[in-house]
Each structure stands twice: as structure tokens, then as C-alpha cells.
Amino acid sequence: MPDHEAVTSTLDPLDWSELRALGHRMLDDVIDDLAGVAEAPVWRPMPEEVRDAWQGGLPRGGAAMADVYREYRRLIAPYGVGNRHPRFLGWVHGGGTAVGMLAELLAGGLNANCGGRDHAPIACERQVVRWAAEMLGLPQDSSGLVVTGTSMANFVAVLVARTAALGAQSRRRGAGAVRLAAYAATGAHLCVSRALDMAGLGADALHLVSADAAGRLDVALLEQRIAADRDAGMQPFLVVGTAGSVDTGAIDDLAGLADCCARHGLWFHVDAAFGAIAMLSPVLRPRFGGMERADSVAFDFHKWAQVPYDAGCIVVRDHAAHRAAFARSVAYLRRETRGLAAGEPWPVDLGPELSRGFRALKVWMTLKAYGADRIGEVAFRCCALAERLAARVRSCPALELMAQVSLNVVCFRVRGGDDAVQTRIVADLQQAGRTVLSTTVIEGACVLRAAFCNHRTTWSDVDLVIDDVVKAAMWAAEPRCLEDVAAL
Ligand SMILES: *Cc1c(COP(=O)(O)O)cnc(C)c1O
């Protein structure tokens, strides 16, 4: 029976020394893991006994934390995604840093709820948003939030653009008979259409416009489409430019899109999920001309800025428009001019979430500790690695480059192999724990895709990837066993 007369029900230990020692050991272990990450396999599949371990029911009684930690080391630590590893090139994933990890620890310790009120974590988040605006070339009084990722940031942007187009009453009554239309390039990320879906406008409200040979949205076609949709009784309201497409790294003609939006009175949003961080590199920045004219920009800190998952950001030029899309007042969230309930606007006035963790701390610490220039150099170096891989592909008779390299993504193919062979090579290399690549489809053909997004990747990793792919292609062409690949 629970003892209701007990002096305290605290979950804190009576004696902190044991927990403290365990905490120190965890820190040592995880720093060891990070320091040795390149020597470990990129990824390894979960063995059956590990999968089976996830079937247990709700633990009614507790266990010693040391035992729970031992389970973590056995069941979880070895079987992550692998994105910390220098040869994780499969998807656009950041590698994380020890600085970001320590910031997560501090944020967990502080346990701040960043939905609102007047406290330093909110001030820290506002500073991060101002830094983001500076990076993007947007005004310093732009509004914004640190959110989970670009999917959420795009969703917030769609809601702001919708309210700006239809007026505040649409928040109560919905869009009614108005048929809103949004536009993006065919290579736009799926989360853009999902944002329209979640906003209740329907995924079909996103009209995809063909891209040119370099993967950039064709602005002349966009103009025609807008005119045709108006004639058909629709209300165009939003253009989503992509600055770094997920498939090929293509960057839309942002200045051209800004001109088009200005001509037609449309909201200009940019999905710069990873591209935004490239603006910290003076060499790469000119490719993003026109970004400074966006009404809103969505991007991630967890990709190229190497902040641990999750951390994305939405920046909105017009803070009044941003607030108009979300702010509501209720008695239990009453604002005051002093005390803890002061400090308007609160993050809850700017997005869908009320309770929120202190994500901004790991961003703030990353930018403070490394400096924005160093992060920009990481992005630049990743692009140089992509160029090197593309050069190696071009000079290798067994391989074929399948898309222009605009930034950090290289799409290539093993000559003479059908789509199944390309897929098999990727899976074999993943299972061997050597290299993680992914596949995508370019002009109807399945291709291998390498995205450079990790500060740990070196030139010799690029050479290893080429060697691995060529060897795996040889094995893929004839019966072979995985041990052969593992022994590469
Ligand atoms: C990764 C990515 C997204 C989605 O961002 P999340 O942080 O995964 O939600 C959107 N657009 C582009 C171009 C991306 O690369």
C-alpha cells in the first residue's frame, strides 16, 4: 500500500553520491563513444534478441538506475541511426557535437517550459531567432520560433500565409468557399504538401511547377500557372521556394520568385532546410540571393549546423502577421506587465505548441562555442567533399553522375546495373556497417544518393565510399554473401 503519511514523495535520491557517480560514468561513456565514432560501424541492424526485448509491459516497480543504464548500453546505444558517423551520407542528417550534447544535458536539468512567461530561456530563444534573421538577411525585428524541424516550420509558415491571405476571421470560420492555391517546384520536400494538408487546405492546393535542368522552379511556368488558376476562380496565396532540395541540393531562383510574388501579392516562403546554414559561408552565400526578400523562411539547425536533434526554426518577416495567425487569449494564460506572467509575445502566440522544451539552448551554445563562421566552413567543406565525390564518379568508368551537384548532394549510378542492383548495393553497404547511402529517383531511374552534412567526414571517407560502391557493385552482379562485404 502507498504510504500517504510519508514525509516526502520526492523522486530525488536521499543520497546523491551514487547517482552522481553514475552520471559521471554516463558522461565518460558517451564522450568515449563520440571520440571513437569513426572506428565503429556506421549502422548495425538490431539482432532478434534486442528486438524481442522491446515487448515487455509497463514496469510497475522500479529498478536500480545502474541496471537501467546497463540496458540502455545493451539495447539502444549500439543501434542508433548512425548519423554521427563520418560515412553516414544517406540522408541529409547532421552529425551532432559534444557541445550540443552537453547543452541538452543542461536544458534537461533546468527543465524550463518555453511556451511563454518571462524567463531567460525565452530571452535566449529570441536571441537565436534574431541571429537566424541576421544570417538570412531578414530584418532584426523579424519574429520566429525554434521548432522541432523544417516540417513544423513549413507548417507554421503555411498557417501564417493562410491567415495573411484570408484575414483573421478565417481562423474561426475556415477558408469557406475560397480555393487557395500554393506553388512549389516538383522537387519540393513532401512536408510542404503535408503542411497544406494539415492546415485543412488539402494537399492538392499545392501546385507543383516543373523545374529546369538544374532542378530550379521554372518562373515563367509559375507565372502561367498563377494566371490560369486565377482564371479558374482560385486564389493563389503562397509560393514556396526551395533553397537546397532534398534530392539534388538544387536552389531555386529566389530573386525571380520574390519578383513574381511581389507582382501578384503572394506570400513568399522559402524552405531552406539545410541551405540556410550555407549562408554562413561567404563563398556559398551568393547562391542564395533573394532569400532576404522572403516573407518567411524555414530551416534546420539539426542538419548543417550540427545541433543535436531536434532543432528547426521558422523566421517571419512581419511579426504582426505571425502573431495574427496564432495568438488567442484565455484566462489561464493571462498576461501581466510584471512578474512571471509578463514578457509578451510568448511562443504560444507564434505557433501551435504550448508546452515546449528549451531547444534554443543547444543552438545558442553551438553558435557561441564554435562561432557562425566555423559552422559556415563546415557547410563549405561538405560542398567540397561533394565535388570530390562527383569528380571521382566522373573518372570512374563503372559509375555515372546522374544530377548536377548544386551544393552537397551527389546522385550517381552504377553503370549497367538495373534499379534492383542500385538498391541492393545501398542495402549491402548499410548492413556491412561501412557506408550509409540512400537511393532516390532521378528522371525515372533509381540512383545512389550521397548527402554531405557531417562535420566529421574527411577526404579519405570519400575515397572509401567510391571503393566500397565499386566492390559492392561487383558483388551485386553475382551471388555473394554479406560476410564478403563485411570483410571489405
Ligand atoms: C530535411 C528537409 C525537410 C524536413 O525537415 P525536418 O527537419 O526533417 O522536418 C524539409 N525540406 C527540405 C529541403 C529538407 O531537406
Side-chain angles (χ1 to χ4, degrees):
M1 287 289 286
D3 177 7
H4 297 293
E5 302 290 312
V7 180
T8 169
S9 64
T10 183
L11 300 174
D12 288 337
L14 286 174
D15 174 6
W16 286 86
S17 54
E18 203 177 312
L19 193 71
R20 185 189 302 269
L22 179 63
H24 288 176
R25 210 179 89 215
M26 287 176 174
L27 198 56
D28 283 342
D29 289 348
V30 72
I31 287 176
D32 285 347
D33 289 348
L34 281 180
V37 75
E39 279 72 51
V42 186
W43 178 79
R44 52 191 132 194
M46 268 183 283
E48 279 313 309
E49 71 268 21
V50 170
R51 286 187 195 278
D52 291 347
W54 298 108
Q55 303 309 317
L58 175 69
R60 302 301 309 213
M65 187 51 200
D67 293 338
V68 178
Y69 177 56
R70 210 166 295 123
E71 266 197 277
Y72 166 81
R73 295 297 300 179
R74 185 170 69 85
L75 299 176
I76 300 177
Y79 306 109
V81 178
N83 51 307
R84 297 179 303 180
H85 194 284
R87 278 191 311 285
F88 182 97
L89 308 172
W91 294 270
V92 183
H93 278 30
T97 67
V99 164
M101 176 193 82
L102 294 173
E104 282 278 64
L105 178 70
L106 300 178
L110 194 59
N111 192 26
N113 183 341
C114 294
R117 305 176 184 87
D118 195 19
H119 51 104
I122 300 277
C124 176
E125 180 167 353
R126 287 191 187 129
Q127 182 170 43
V128 165
V129 169
R130 278 199 306 278
W131 289 346
E134 186 176 335
M135 171 181 83
L136 299 166
L138 289 172
Q140 279 299 285
D141 65 347
S142 298
S143 171
L145 282 181
V146 177
V147 294
T148 45
T150 296
S151 301
M152 178 58 90
N154 281 334
F155 180 45
V156 168
V158 164
L159 293 170
V160 176
R162 178 210 60 185
T163 307
L166 298 178
Q169 79 282 356
S170 68
R171 291 181 55 201
R172 289 190 175 278
R173 298 188 203 135
V178 180
R179 285 159 68 209
L180 290 177
Y183 305 86
T186 41
H189 197 277
L190 176 68
C191 69
V192 176
S193 97
R194 277 177 26 109
L196 288 151
D197 164 9
M198 293 188 294
L201 303 173
D204 288 351
L206 183 65
H207 297 184
L208 294 178
V209 179
S210 299
D212 62 17
R216 295 149 48 110
L217 191 157
D218 186 323
V219 182
L221 281 181
L222 172 64
E223 289 278 355
Q224 289 169 18
R225 191 73 200 264
I226 289 169
D229 287 347
R230 282 215 165 114
D231 289 347
M234 289 179 222
Q235 183 179 331
F237 80 114
L238 166 69
V239 173
V240 180
T242 300
S245 73
V246 70
D247 264 345
T248 67
I251 304 164
D252 281 340
D253 170 10
L254 301 179
L257 295 183
D259 288 341
C260 172
C261 287
R263 265 194 301 279
H264 297 284
L266 309 184
W267 187 276
F268 178 34
H269 173 69
V270 181
D271 174 350
F274 55 98
I277 299 300
M279 296 181 79
L280 295 174
S281 157
V283 183
L284 300 174
R285 190 176 178 88
R287 301 185 195 176
F288 298 87
M291 182 84 84
E292 72 290 348
R293 294 171 61 194
D295 292 304
S296 54
V297 180
F299 70 95
D300 282 319
F301 289 112
H302 55 217
K303 289 177 177 167
W304 247 347
Q306 313 297 326
V307 172
Y309 283 82
D310 46 26
C313 190
I314 174 71
V315 181
V316 180
R317 171 188 299 275
D318 178 349
H319 54 84
H322 190 181
R323 236 179 131 173
F326 292 99
R328 304 249 327 233
S329 51
V330 285
Y332 53 85
L333 292 177
R334 200 180 133 91
R335 316 304 161 85
E336 306 292 349
T337 52
R338 62 190 191 89
L340 192 48
E344 276 201 292
W346 293 355
V348 67
D349 302 325
L350 305 173
E353 297 170 331
L354 176 54
S355 293
R356 314 161 62 240
F358 187 13
R359 278 193 197 97
L361 183 64
K362 58 194 172 184
V363 180
W364 186 82
M365 282 201 164
T366 297
L367 289 169
K368 284 270 212 193
Y370 296 107
D373 291 350
R374 181 107 181 264
I375 301 296
E377 280 161 25
V378 168
F380 174 70
R381 203 181 142 76
C382 284
C383 294
L385 289 165
E387 283 298 334
R388 181 177 170 88
L389 181 66
R392 292 282 325 257
V393 167
R394 278 192 208 98
S395 65
C396 177
L399 305 175
E400 182 181 5
L401 196 64
M402 293 299 285
Q404 189 175 316
V405 176
S406 308
L407 220 49
N408 60 333
V409 183
V410 185
C411 292
F412 61 109
R413 199 175 150 85
V414 174
R415 279 188 209 272
D418 59 10
D419 286 0
V421 165
Q422 320 292 333
T423 310
R424 201 185 310 151
I425 290 169
V426 167
D428 283 352
L429 290 175
Q430 289 173 359
Q431 295 218 293
R434 286 278 294 200
T435 291
V436 169
L437 300 172
S438 62
T439 61
T440 189
V441 175
I442 303 273
E443 285 167 18
C446 176
V447 302
L448 313 188
R449 175 166 164 276
F452 291 88
C453 203
N454 185 321
H455 61 101
R456 300 188 179 100
T457 310
T458 64
W459 291 72
S460 58
D461 287 315
V462 171
D463 296 339
L464 265 169
V465 169
I466 289 284
D467 294 349
D468 279 3
V469 168
V470 170
K471 281 185 200 154
M474 278 155 40
W475 268 295
E478 55 197 65
R480 82 277 167 268
C481 59
L482 263 182
E483 289 72 46
D484 292 338
V485 183
L488 279 173

